Amino acid sequence: MFVRKNLVDLTGCGTNTGYVIDFIKICFNTQLLNLDEICRFYLKEGLSASQIAAHFGVSKSVIIGCVNRLKIGTKSAKGRMTNPNNFRHHNPPFGYKVKDNKLVLNGAELKICRAVVELIGREKRGVRETARELEERAFKTRRGRAKWGHFVVQQIFNRWKDKL
């Protein structure tokens, strides 16, 4: 249902300005929404409330209300934004990039990941020594800096040690 938002005539302000009339879609009865489909989108496909709302043409808060009413929100909240098939976090893990909301491997960063796994895992070097070695080899961080922190190197190693 569309509700017309009437704007006040402001001709008394001294200007003769035209105003745009806006239409807002309002869903008065959320019972008309298919709860089984919302549940499938949310649990099986891992879509966010915003994505489901766009599909149904309602607001995000309506979908959140339906999810809360179904009591499925707290069960499946862990890992929702980091789902590799529907990645919605602002910063992908090192070694990946986001393409069409999916995590795909980043070849340039994988070279650095391989070097980290080689130095720490196989050559048994320390994390700080590995960070210095990356700086000496002129590997750049994602932000284009030549300075590597030991914490970032440790995170890269922990993520990639069993995969490379």
Side-chain angles (χ1 to χ4, degrees):
M1 167 178 263
F2 287 97
V3 176
R4 184 174 178 174
K5 184 167 89 174
N6 294 322
L7 299 176
V8 178
D9 183 19
L10 299 177
T11 54
C13 292
T15 61
N16 231 356
T17 308
Y19 293 94
V20 177
I21 296 178
D22 194 11
F23 290 91
I24 302 170
K25 188 172 185 179
I26 298 175
C27 183
F28 289 107
N29 191 354
T30 58
Q31 302 297 330
L32 299 176
L33 294 174
N34 187 346
L35 296 179
D36 292 333
E37 198 169 3
I38 291 173
C39 187
R40 181 178 58 84
F41 282 148
Y42 193 79
L43 293 176
K44 301 264 191 302
E45 297 183 22
L47 297 180
S48 69
S50 298
Q51 292 169 326
I52 298 170
H55 174 76
F56 284 107
V58 296
S59 69
K60 176 181 163 184
S61 61
V62 169
I63 299 300
I64 290 173
C66 292
V67 166
N68 290 339
R69 197 172 6 172
L70 291 169
K71 296 184 176 138
I72 59 175
T74 57
K75 296 177 191 173
S76 62
K78 186 177 181 187
R80 291 195 55 75
M81 289 184 64
T82 58
N83 178 1
N85 296 324
N86 187 21
F87 193 81
R88 297 183 310 272
H89 200 269
H90 65 278
N91 191 17
F94 199 84
Y96 291 100
K97 62 183 174 182
V98 178
K99 187 173 187 180
D100 298 327
N101 287 340
K102 295 187 186 326
L103 280 181
V104 294
L105 294 174
N106 184 342
E109 291 180 359
L110 273 179
K111 292 178 186 176
I112 298 170
C113 296
R114 283 190 190 100
V116 168
V117 170
E118 179 69 30
L119 292 169
I120 295 176
R122 296 186 185 98
E123 294 183 15
K124 304 296 183 199
R125 293 194 189 183
V127 179
R128 292 179 193 271
E129 185 181 353
T130 302
R132 283 192 293 273
E133 181 67 27
L134 291 176
E135 293 169 9
E136 289 173 12
R137 292 186 187 184
F139 283 124
K140 303 273 187 197
T141 64
R142 188 176 275 170
R143 293 186 176 182
R145 298 179 186 156
K147 181 98 172 121
W148 284 88
H150 68 281
F151 185 72
V152 175
V153 172
Q154 183 68 53
Q155 285 181 323
I156 292 171
F157 177 70
N158 289 341
R159 177 174 297 278
W160 292 100
K161 64 184 172 186
D162 298 328
K163 298 177 185 173
L164 295 177

